[in-house]
Short mmCIF file of all heavy atoms in Angstrom, two decimals:
data_model
loop_
_atom_site.label_atom_id
_atom_site.label_comp_id
_atom_site.label_asym_id
_atom_site.label_seq_id
_atom_site.Cartn_x
_atom_site.Cartn_y
_atom_site.Cartn_z
N ALA A 820 -129.43 -28.21 -11.78
CA ALA A 820 -130.32 -28.15 -12.94
C ALA A 820 -131.47 -27.18 -12.74
O ALA A 820 -131.92 -26.52 -13.68
CB ALA A 820 -130.85 -29.54 -13.25
N VAL A 821 -131.99 -27.06 -11.51
CA VAL A 821 -133.14 -26.20 -11.26
C VAL A 821 -132.79 -24.73 -11.49
O VAL A 821 -133.67 -23.92 -11.84
CB VAL A 821 -133.68 -26.43 -9.83
CG1 VAL A 821 -132.76 -25.76 -8.79
CG2 VAL A 821 -135.10 -25.89 -9.69
N LEU A 822 -131.53 -24.36 -11.35
CA LEU A 822 -131.12 -22.97 -11.57
C LEU A 822 -131.36 -22.56 -13.02
O LEU A 822 -131.79 -21.42 -13.29
CB LEU A 822 -129.64 -22.80 -11.21
CG LEU A 822 -129.27 -22.98 -9.74
CD1 LEU A 822 -127.75 -23.04 -9.57
CD2 LEU A 822 -129.84 -21.84 -8.90
N ILE A 823 -131.11 -23.47 -13.95
CA ILE A 823 -131.31 -23.16 -15.37
C ILE A 823 -132.78 -22.96 -15.67
O ILE A 823 -133.17 -22.01 -16.37
CB ILE A 823 -130.72 -24.30 -16.24
CG1 ILE A 823 -129.21 -24.41 -16.00
CG2 ILE A 823 -131.01 -24.06 -17.71
CD1 ILE A 823 -128.56 -25.55 -16.75
N GLN A 824 -133.63 -23.82 -15.10
CA GLN A 824 -135.06 -23.70 -15.35
C GLN A 824 -135.65 -22.43 -14.74
O GLN A 824 -136.51 -21.78 -15.35
CB GLN A 824 -135.79 -24.94 -14.81
CG GLN A 824 -135.38 -26.24 -15.48
CD GLN A 824 -135.57 -26.19 -16.99
OE1 GLN A 824 -136.59 -25.70 -17.49
NE2 GLN A 824 -134.58 -26.70 -17.73
N ILE A 825 -135.19 -22.07 -13.54
CA ILE A 825 -135.65 -20.81 -12.93
C ILE A 825 -135.22 -19.63 -13.79
O ILE A 825 -135.99 -18.69 -14.03
CB ILE A 825 -135.09 -20.67 -11.50
CG1 ILE A 825 -135.74 -21.70 -10.57
CG2 ILE A 825 -135.32 -19.27 -10.95
CD1 ILE A 825 -135.15 -21.74 -9.17
N PHE A 826 -133.98 -19.67 -14.29
CA PHE A 826 -133.47 -18.57 -15.13
C PHE A 826 -134.29 -18.45 -16.41
O PHE A 826 -134.68 -17.34 -16.81
CB PHE A 826 -132.00 -18.83 -15.45
CG PHE A 826 -131.41 -17.86 -16.42
CD1 PHE A 826 -131.12 -16.55 -16.04
CD2 PHE A 826 -131.15 -18.24 -17.73
CE1 PHE A 826 -130.59 -15.65 -16.94
CE2 PHE A 826 -130.62 -17.35 -18.64
CZ PHE A 826 -130.33 -16.05 -18.25
N TYR A 827 -134.56 -19.57 -17.07
CA TYR A 827 -135.35 -19.52 -18.30
C TYR A 827 -136.75 -19.00 -18.05
O TYR A 827 -137.31 -18.23 -18.85
CB TYR A 827 -135.42 -20.93 -18.93
CG TYR A 827 -134.15 -21.36 -19.62
CD1 TYR A 827 -133.87 -22.71 -19.84
CD2 TYR A 827 -133.22 -20.43 -20.07
CE1 TYR A 827 -132.71 -23.13 -20.47
CE2 TYR A 827 -132.05 -20.83 -20.70
CZ TYR A 827 -131.79 -22.17 -20.90
OH TYR A 827 -130.64 -22.57 -21.52
N ARG A 828 -137.35 -19.41 -16.93
CA ARG A 828 -138.72 -18.97 -16.62
C ARG A 828 -138.74 -17.46 -16.37
O ARG A 828 -139.68 -16.77 -16.80
CB ARG A 828 -139.24 -19.71 -15.41
CG ARG A 828 -140.67 -19.37 -15.03
CD ARG A 828 -141.65 -19.81 -16.12
NE ARG A 828 -141.63 -21.25 -16.30
CZ ARG A 828 -142.40 -22.09 -15.62
NH1 ARG A 828 -143.25 -21.62 -14.73
NH2 ARG A 828 -142.32 -23.39 -15.84
N VAL A 829 -137.73 -16.95 -15.68
CA VAL A 829 -137.68 -15.52 -15.40
C VAL A 829 -137.45 -14.71 -16.67
O VAL A 829 -138.04 -13.63 -16.86
CB VAL A 829 -136.55 -15.22 -14.37
CG1 VAL A 829 -136.32 -13.72 -14.24
CG2 VAL A 829 -136.91 -15.79 -13.02
N CYS A 830 -136.60 -15.23 -17.55
CA CYS A 830 -136.23 -14.47 -18.75
C CYS A 830 -137.20 -14.65 -19.90
O CYS A 830 -137.18 -13.87 -20.85
CB CYS A 830 -134.84 -14.89 -19.21
SG CYS A 830 -133.56 -14.56 -17.99
N ASP A 831 -138.04 -15.69 -19.84
CA ASP A 831 -138.97 -15.96 -20.93
C ASP A 831 -140.19 -15.07 -20.79
O ASP A 831 -141.05 -15.29 -19.94
CB ASP A 831 -139.37 -17.44 -20.90
CG ASP A 831 -140.17 -17.83 -22.15
OD1 ASP A 831 -140.47 -16.93 -22.96
OD2 ASP A 831 -140.50 -19.01 -22.30
N HIS A 832 -140.33 -14.07 -21.63
CA HIS A 832 -141.44 -13.11 -21.52
C HIS A 832 -142.77 -13.72 -21.93
O HIS A 832 -143.82 -13.17 -21.63
CB HIS A 832 -141.15 -11.89 -22.39
CG HIS A 832 -140.07 -11.03 -21.84
ND1 HIS A 832 -140.29 -9.80 -21.28
CD2 HIS A 832 -138.73 -11.24 -21.76
CE1 HIS A 832 -139.14 -9.28 -20.88
NE2 HIS A 832 -138.17 -10.14 -21.17
N SER A 833 -142.73 -14.86 -22.59
CA SER A 833 -143.98 -15.48 -23.01
C SER A 833 -144.56 -16.37 -21.93
O SER A 833 -145.68 -16.84 -22.04
CB SER A 833 -143.77 -16.30 -24.29
OG SER A 833 -142.84 -17.34 -24.05
N HIS A 834 -143.80 -16.63 -20.88
CA HIS A 834 -144.27 -17.47 -19.77
C HIS A 834 -144.07 -16.71 -18.48
O HIS A 834 -143.00 -16.74 -17.88
CB HIS A 834 -143.49 -18.80 -19.72
CG HIS A 834 -143.65 -19.60 -20.98
ND1 HIS A 834 -144.77 -20.31 -21.29
CD2 HIS A 834 -142.79 -19.77 -22.01
CE1 HIS A 834 -144.62 -20.91 -22.46
NE2 HIS A 834 -143.42 -20.59 -22.92
N THR A 835 -145.10 -16.02 -18.05
CA THR A 835 -145.01 -15.23 -16.83
C THR A 835 -145.51 -16.04 -15.65
O THR A 835 -146.66 -16.46 -15.64
CB THR A 835 -145.85 -13.94 -16.95
OG1 THR A 835 -145.41 -13.24 -18.10
CG2 THR A 835 -145.69 -13.07 -15.72
N ALA A 836 -144.65 -16.27 -14.67
CA ALA A 836 -145.04 -17.02 -13.47
C ALA A 836 -145.89 -16.14 -12.58
O ALA A 836 -145.88 -14.91 -12.67
CB ALA A 836 -143.80 -17.51 -12.73
N ASP A 837 -146.61 -16.79 -11.66
CA ASP A 837 -147.46 -16.03 -10.74
C ASP A 837 -146.66 -15.09 -9.88
O ASP A 837 -147.14 -14.05 -9.45
CB ASP A 837 -148.25 -17.00 -9.84
CG ASP A 837 -149.23 -17.82 -10.66
OD1 ASP A 837 -149.59 -17.36 -11.76
OD2 ASP A 837 -149.61 -18.90 -10.18
N ALA A 838 -145.39 -15.48 -9.58
CA ALA A 838 -144.58 -14.68 -8.67
C ALA A 838 -144.01 -13.43 -9.33
O ALA A 838 -143.48 -12.56 -8.68
CB ALA A 838 -143.44 -15.51 -8.11
N LEU A 839 -144.13 -13.34 -10.69
CA LEU A 839 -143.54 -12.22 -11.40
C LEU A 839 -144.62 -11.27 -11.87
O LEU A 839 -145.70 -11.66 -12.29
CB LEU A 839 -142.72 -12.71 -12.59
CG LEU A 839 -141.57 -13.67 -12.25
CD1 LEU A 839 -140.92 -14.16 -13.52
CD2 LEU A 839 -140.56 -12.98 -11.37
N ASP A 840 -144.30 -10.01 -11.87
CA ASP A 840 -145.21 -8.98 -12.35
C ASP A 840 -144.95 -8.76 -13.83
O ASP A 840 -143.84 -8.44 -14.25
CB ASP A 840 -144.97 -7.68 -11.58
CG ASP A 840 -145.97 -6.60 -11.96
OD1 ASP A 840 -146.77 -6.85 -12.89
OD2 ASP A 840 -145.93 -5.52 -11.35
N GLU A 841 -145.97 -8.92 -14.66
CA GLU A 841 -145.82 -8.83 -16.10
C GLU A 841 -145.31 -7.46 -16.53
O GLU A 841 -144.63 -7.32 -17.54
CB GLU A 841 -147.15 -9.15 -16.78
CG GLU A 841 -147.03 -9.35 -18.28
CD GLU A 841 -148.32 -9.85 -18.88
OE1 GLU A 841 -149.32 -9.93 -18.14
OE2 GLU A 841 -148.33 -10.16 -20.08
N HIS A 842 -145.63 -6.44 -15.76
CA HIS A 842 -145.22 -5.08 -16.11
C HIS A 842 -143.93 -4.68 -15.42
O HIS A 842 -143.49 -3.55 -15.53
CB HIS A 842 -146.33 -4.10 -15.74
CG HIS A 842 -147.64 -4.43 -16.41
ND1 HIS A 842 -147.86 -4.25 -17.75
CD2 HIS A 842 -148.78 -4.98 -15.89
CE1 HIS A 842 -149.10 -4.63 -18.06
NE2 HIS A 842 -149.67 -5.08 -16.95
N ASN A 843 -143.33 -5.58 -14.69
CA ASN A 843 -142.12 -5.25 -13.93
C ASN A 843 -141.12 -6.41 -14.05
O ASN A 843 -140.83 -7.10 -13.10
CB ASN A 843 -142.45 -4.99 -12.46
CG ASN A 843 -141.27 -4.44 -11.71
OD1 ASN A 843 -140.33 -3.92 -12.29
ND2 ASN A 843 -141.31 -4.59 -10.39
N LYS A 844 -140.63 -6.63 -15.26
CA LYS A 844 -139.72 -7.74 -15.52
C LYS A 844 -138.39 -7.51 -14.80
O LYS A 844 -137.93 -6.40 -14.65
CB LYS A 844 -139.46 -7.86 -17.02
CG LYS A 844 -140.73 -8.15 -17.83
CD LYS A 844 -141.33 -9.49 -17.47
CE LYS A 844 -142.58 -9.75 -18.30
NZ LYS A 844 -143.24 -10.99 -17.91
N ILE A 845 -137.78 -8.62 -14.41
CA ILE A 845 -136.49 -8.54 -13.74
C ILE A 845 -135.39 -8.34 -14.78
O ILE A 845 -135.25 -9.14 -15.72
CB ILE A 845 -136.23 -9.82 -12.92
CG1 ILE A 845 -137.25 -9.92 -11.80
CG2 ILE A 845 -134.81 -9.83 -12.36
CD1 ILE A 845 -137.13 -11.19 -10.98
N GLU A 846 -134.64 -7.29 -14.66
CA GLU A 846 -133.52 -7.02 -15.55
C GLU A 846 -132.32 -7.84 -15.09
O GLU A 846 -131.44 -7.36 -14.37
CB GLU A 846 -133.20 -5.52 -15.56
CG GLU A 846 -134.31 -4.65 -16.13
CD GLU A 846 -134.54 -4.91 -17.62
OE1 GLU A 846 -133.60 -5.38 -18.30
OE2 GLU A 846 -135.66 -4.66 -18.09
N TRP A 847 -132.28 -9.11 -15.51
CA TRP A 847 -131.28 -10.04 -14.98
C TRP A 847 -129.86 -9.67 -15.39
O TRP A 847 -128.90 -10.00 -14.69
CB TRP A 847 -131.61 -11.46 -15.43
CG TRP A 847 -131.70 -11.66 -16.92
CD1 TRP A 847 -132.80 -11.52 -17.70
CD2 TRP A 847 -130.63 -12.03 -17.79
NE1 TRP A 847 -132.51 -11.77 -19.00
CE2 TRP A 847 -131.17 -12.09 -19.10
CE3 TRP A 847 -129.28 -12.30 -17.61
CZ2 TRP A 847 -130.42 -12.42 -20.21
CZ3 TRP A 847 -128.51 -12.63 -18.72
CH2 TRP A 847 -129.06 -12.69 -20.00
N LYS A 848 -129.70 -8.99 -16.53
CA LYS A 848 -128.35 -8.67 -17.00
C LYS A 848 -127.60 -7.77 -16.02
O LYS A 848 -126.38 -7.84 -15.91
CB LYS A 848 -128.41 -8.00 -18.37
CG LYS A 848 -128.88 -8.93 -19.48
CD LYS A 848 -128.85 -8.22 -20.83
CE LYS A 848 -129.32 -9.16 -21.94
NZ LYS A 848 -129.27 -8.48 -23.27
N SER A 849 -128.36 -6.93 -15.30
CA SER A 849 -127.71 -6.00 -14.37
C SER A 849 -127.13 -6.72 -13.16
O SER A 849 -126.35 -6.13 -12.40
CB SER A 849 -128.70 -4.93 -13.92
OG SER A 849 -129.78 -5.52 -13.21
N TYR A 850 -127.50 -7.99 -12.95
CA TYR A 850 -127.03 -8.74 -11.79
C TYR A 850 -125.80 -9.58 -12.10
O TYR A 850 -125.26 -10.25 -11.22
CB TYR A 850 -128.14 -9.64 -11.25
CG TYR A 850 -129.28 -8.88 -10.62
CD1 TYR A 850 -130.41 -8.56 -11.36
CD2 TYR A 850 -129.22 -8.45 -9.30
CE1 TYR A 850 -131.46 -7.85 -10.80
CE2 TYR A 850 -130.26 -7.75 -8.72
CZ TYR A 850 -131.38 -7.45 -9.48
OH TYR A 850 -132.42 -6.75 -8.91
N ILE A 851 -125.36 -9.58 -13.35
CA ILE A 851 -124.17 -10.36 -13.71
C ILE A 851 -122.93 -9.66 -13.16
O ILE A 851 -122.75 -8.46 -13.34
CB ILE A 851 -124.06 -10.51 -15.24
CG1 ILE A 851 -125.25 -11.32 -15.77
CG2 ILE A 851 -122.76 -11.21 -15.62
CD1 ILE A 851 -125.28 -11.45 -17.27
N VAL A 852 -122.08 -10.42 -12.49
CA VAL A 852 -120.88 -9.85 -11.89
C VAL A 852 -119.68 -10.72 -12.24
O VAL A 852 -119.81 -11.87 -12.63
CB VAL A 852 -121.00 -9.74 -10.36
CG1 VAL A 852 -122.08 -8.77 -9.97
CG2 VAL A 852 -121.22 -11.11 -9.74
N SER A 853 -118.50 -10.12 -12.11
CA SER A 853 -117.25 -10.86 -12.23
C SER A 853 -116.53 -10.78 -10.90
O SER A 853 -116.46 -9.72 -10.30
CB SER A 853 -116.37 -10.25 -13.33
OG SER A 853 -117.02 -10.38 -14.59
N HIS A 854 -116.02 -11.88 -10.47
CA HIS A 854 -115.34 -11.95 -9.17
C HIS A 854 -113.89 -12.29 -9.43
O HIS A 854 -113.59 -13.38 -9.90
CB HIS A 854 -116.00 -13.02 -8.30
CG HIS A 854 -115.56 -12.98 -6.87
ND1 HIS A 854 -116.06 -12.06 -5.99
CD2 HIS A 854 -114.66 -13.73 -6.20
CE1 HIS A 854 -115.49 -12.26 -4.81
NE2 HIS A 854 -114.64 -13.26 -4.91
N MET A 855 -112.98 -11.35 -9.19
CA MET A 855 -111.57 -11.52 -9.58
C MET A 855 -110.64 -11.17 -8.45
O MET A 855 -109.86 -10.23 -8.55
CB MET A 855 -111.27 -10.66 -10.81
CG MET A 855 -112.12 -10.99 -12.02
SD MET A 855 -111.69 -10.01 -13.45
CE MET A 855 -112.82 -10.68 -14.66
N ASP A 856 -110.73 -11.89 -7.37
CA ASP A 856 -109.90 -11.59 -6.21
C ASP A 856 -108.41 -11.68 -6.52
O ASP A 856 -107.62 -10.85 -6.12
CB ASP A 856 -110.23 -12.53 -5.06
CG ASP A 856 -111.44 -12.04 -4.28
OD1 ASP A 856 -111.88 -10.91 -4.52
OD2 ASP A 856 -111.93 -12.81 -3.45
N ASN A 857 -108.02 -12.73 -7.25
CA ASN A 857 -106.59 -12.93 -7.46
C ASN A 857 -106.00 -11.86 -8.36
O ASN A 857 -104.86 -11.42 -8.17
CB ASN A 857 -106.33 -14.32 -8.03
CG ASN A 857 -106.84 -14.46 -9.46
OD1 ASN A 857 -107.91 -13.95 -9.79
ND2 ASN A 857 -106.08 -15.14 -10.29
N LEU A 858 -106.79 -11.40 -9.35
CA LEU A 858 -106.26 -10.37 -10.24
C LEU A 858 -106.14 -9.04 -9.54
O LEU A 858 -105.19 -8.30 -9.74
CB LEU A 858 -107.15 -10.25 -11.48
CG LEU A 858 -107.17 -11.50 -12.39
CD1 LEU A 858 -108.06 -11.26 -13.58
CD2 LEU A 858 -105.76 -11.86 -12.86
N ARG A 859 -107.10 -8.72 -8.68
CA ARG A 859 -107.02 -7.48 -7.92
C ARG A 859 -105.82 -7.51 -6.98
O ARG A 859 -105.14 -6.53 -6.77
CB ARG A 859 -108.30 -7.28 -7.13
CG ARG A 859 -109.47 -6.87 -8.01
CD ARG A 859 -110.77 -6.84 -7.25
NE ARG A 859 -111.87 -6.51 -8.12
CZ ARG A 859 -113.14 -6.75 -7.84
NH1 ARG A 859 -113.45 -7.36 -6.71
NH2 ARG A 859 -114.10 -6.41 -8.68
N LYS A 860 -105.61 -8.69 -6.40
CA LYS A 860 -104.47 -8.82 -5.50
C LYS A 860 -103.16 -8.65 -6.26
O LYS A 860 -102.23 -7.99 -5.79
CB LYS A 860 -104.51 -10.20 -4.83
CG LYS A 860 -103.39 -10.41 -3.83
CD LYS A 860 -103.54 -11.77 -3.17
CE LYS A 860 -102.41 -12.00 -2.18
NZ LYS A 860 -102.52 -13.32 -1.54
N SER A 861 -103.08 -9.22 -7.47
CA SER A 861 -101.85 -9.11 -8.23
C SER A 861 -101.60 -7.67 -8.65
O SER A 861 -100.46 -7.22 -8.69
CB SER A 861 -101.91 -10.02 -9.46
OG SER A 861 -102.93 -9.59 -10.35
N ARG A 862 -102.68 -6.92 -8.95
CA ARG A 862 -102.50 -5.52 -9.31
C ARG A 862 -102.00 -4.72 -8.13
O ARG A 862 -101.18 -3.82 -8.26
CB ARG A 862 -103.82 -4.94 -9.82
CG ARG A 862 -104.21 -5.42 -11.21
CD ARG A 862 -105.14 -4.43 -11.89
NE ARG A 862 -106.36 -4.25 -11.14
CZ ARG A 862 -107.45 -5.01 -11.29
NH1 ARG A 862 -107.43 -6.00 -12.15
NH2 ARG A 862 -108.53 -4.76 -10.60
N LYS A 863 -102.51 -5.05 -6.93
CA LYS A 863 -102.05 -4.36 -5.73
C LYS A 863 -100.58 -4.65 -5.48
O LYS A 863 -99.79 -3.76 -5.17
CB LYS A 863 -102.89 -4.81 -4.53
CG LYS A 863 -102.52 -4.11 -3.23
CD LYS A 863 -103.43 -4.56 -2.12
CE LYS A 863 -103.07 -3.89 -0.81
NZ LYS A 863 -103.93 -4.34 0.30
N GLU A 864 -100.22 -5.94 -5.64
CA GLU A 864 -98.82 -6.30 -5.45
C GLU A 864 -97.94 -5.63 -6.49
O GLU A 864 -96.81 -5.22 -6.21
CB GLU A 864 -98.67 -7.82 -5.52
CG GLU A 864 -99.31 -8.54 -4.33
CD GLU A 864 -99.28 -10.04 -4.51
OE1 GLU A 864 -98.97 -10.49 -5.64
OE2 GLU A 864 -99.59 -10.75 -3.53
N SER A 865 -98.44 -5.50 -7.74
CA SER A 865 -97.64 -4.87 -8.78
C SER A 865 -97.42 -3.40 -8.50
O SER A 865 -96.36 -2.85 -8.80
CB SER A 865 -98.32 -5.05 -10.14
OG SER A 865 -99.53 -4.33 -10.18
N ARG A 866 -98.43 -2.74 -7.89
CA ARG A 866 -98.25 -1.34 -7.54
C ARG A 866 -97.20 -1.19 -6.47
O ARG A 866 -96.42 -0.23 -6.47
CB ARG A 866 -99.58 -0.74 -7.09
CG ARG A 866 -100.54 -0.46 -8.22
CD ARG A 866 -101.65 0.49 -7.76
NE ARG A 866 -102.42 -0.06 -6.65
CZ ARG A 866 -103.49 -0.81 -6.82
NH1 ARG A 866 -103.92 -1.12 -8.03
NH2 ARG A 866 -104.15 -1.27 -5.77
N LEU A 867 -97.18 -2.13 -5.52
CA LEU A 867 -96.17 -2.08 -4.47
C LEU A 867 -94.77 -2.30 -5.05
O LEU A 867 -93.79 -1.72 -4.59
CB LEU A 867 -96.46 -3.14 -3.39
CG LEU A 867 -97.73 -2.90 -2.57
CD1 LEU A 867 -97.97 -4.09 -1.65
CD2 LEU A 867 -97.62 -1.61 -1.77
N ARG A 868 -94.69 -3.13 -6.08
CA ARG A 868 -93.39 -3.39 -6.72
C ARG A 868 -93.07 -2.36 -7.80
O ARG A 868 -92.02 -2.40 -8.42
CB ARG A 868 -93.39 -4.78 -7.35
CG ARG A 868 -93.50 -5.92 -6.35
CD ARG A 868 -93.17 -7.24 -7.03
NE ARG A 868 -94.06 -7.49 -8.18
CZ ARG A 868 -95.17 -8.21 -8.10
NH1 ARG A 868 -95.53 -8.72 -6.95
NH2 ARG A 868 -95.91 -8.40 -9.17
N LYS A 869 -94.08 -1.44 -8.04
CA LYS A 869 -93.95 -0.41 -9.07
C LYS A 869 -93.74 -1.03 -10.45
O LYS A 869 -92.99 -0.54 -11.29
CB LYS A 869 -92.81 0.56 -8.75
CG LYS A 869 -93.03 1.36 -7.48
CD LYS A 869 -91.94 2.37 -7.25
CE LYS A 869 -92.22 3.17 -5.98
NZ LYS A 869 -91.17 4.18 -5.72
N GLU A 870 -94.43 -2.15 -10.66
CA GLU A 870 -94.40 -2.78 -11.97
C GLU A 870 -95.76 -2.62 -12.61
O GLU A 870 -96.79 -2.83 -11.97
CB GLU A 870 -94.08 -4.27 -11.84
CG GLU A 870 -92.69 -4.53 -11.28
CD GLU A 870 -92.44 -6.02 -11.12
OE1 GLU A 870 -93.35 -6.79 -11.45
OE2 GLU A 870 -91.34 -6.38 -10.68
N PRO A 871 -95.83 -2.24 -13.88
CA PRO A 871 -97.13 -2.04 -14.53
C PRO A 871 -97.87 -3.36 -14.70
O PRO A 871 -97.26 -4.41 -14.92
CB PRO A 871 -96.77 -1.43 -15.88
CG PRO A 871 -95.35 -1.90 -16.14
CD PRO A 871 -94.69 -1.97 -14.79
N GLU A 872 -99.20 -3.30 -14.59
CA GLU A 872 -100.03 -4.49 -14.74
C GLU A 872 -101.23 -4.12 -15.59
O GLU A 872 -101.92 -3.16 -15.30
CB GLU A 872 -100.51 -4.99 -13.37
CG GLU A 872 -101.43 -6.19 -13.41
CD GLU A 872 -100.66 -7.49 -13.60
OE1 GLU A 872 -99.43 -7.43 -13.55
OE2 GLU A 872 -101.30 -8.53 -13.83
N PRO A 873 -101.50 -4.82 -16.67
CA PRO A 873 -102.66 -4.49 -17.51
C PRO A 873 -103.96 -4.66 -16.75
O PRO A 873 -104.13 -5.63 -16.01
CB PRO A 873 -102.56 -5.50 -18.66
CG PRO A 873 -101.74 -6.63 -18.12
CD PRO A 873 -100.76 -6.00 -17.17
N GLU A 874 -104.88 -3.72 -16.94
CA GLU A 874 -106.16 -3.74 -16.22
C GLU A 874 -107.08 -4.77 -16.82
O GLU A 874 -107.21 -4.86 -18.05
CB GLU A 874 -106.80 -2.36 -16.27
CG GLU A 874 -108.11 -2.31 -15.48
CD GLU A 874 -108.73 -0.93 -15.55
OE1 GLU A 874 -108.13 -0.05 -16.17
OE2 GLU A 874 -109.81 -0.77 -14.97
#
Side-chain angles (χ1 to χ4, degrees):
V821 75
L822 294 169
I823 298 177
Q824 297 304 317
I825 291 174
F826 174 74
Y827 285 158
R828 182 66 62 89
V829 170
C830 299
D831 189 356
H832 289 251
S833 62
H834 300 285
T835 304
D837 294 338
L839 301 176
D840 184 355
E841 191 172 6
H842 303 288
N843 189 20
K844 299 296 180 184
I845 295 177
E846 295 294 335
W847 57 271
K848 292 183 180 181
S849 62
Y850 291 95
I851 296 177
V852 296
S853 296
H854 191 78
M855 300 182 178
D856 276 351
N857 69 320
L858 295 181
R859 287 173 183 161
K860 182 178 179 181
S861 65
R862 287 204 300 271
K863 182 178 179 181
E864 291 174 349
S865 67
R866 285 197 300 271
L867 293 174
R868 295 193 302 265
K869 296 184 179 180
E870 295 178 0
E872 177 79 8
E874 182 180 359

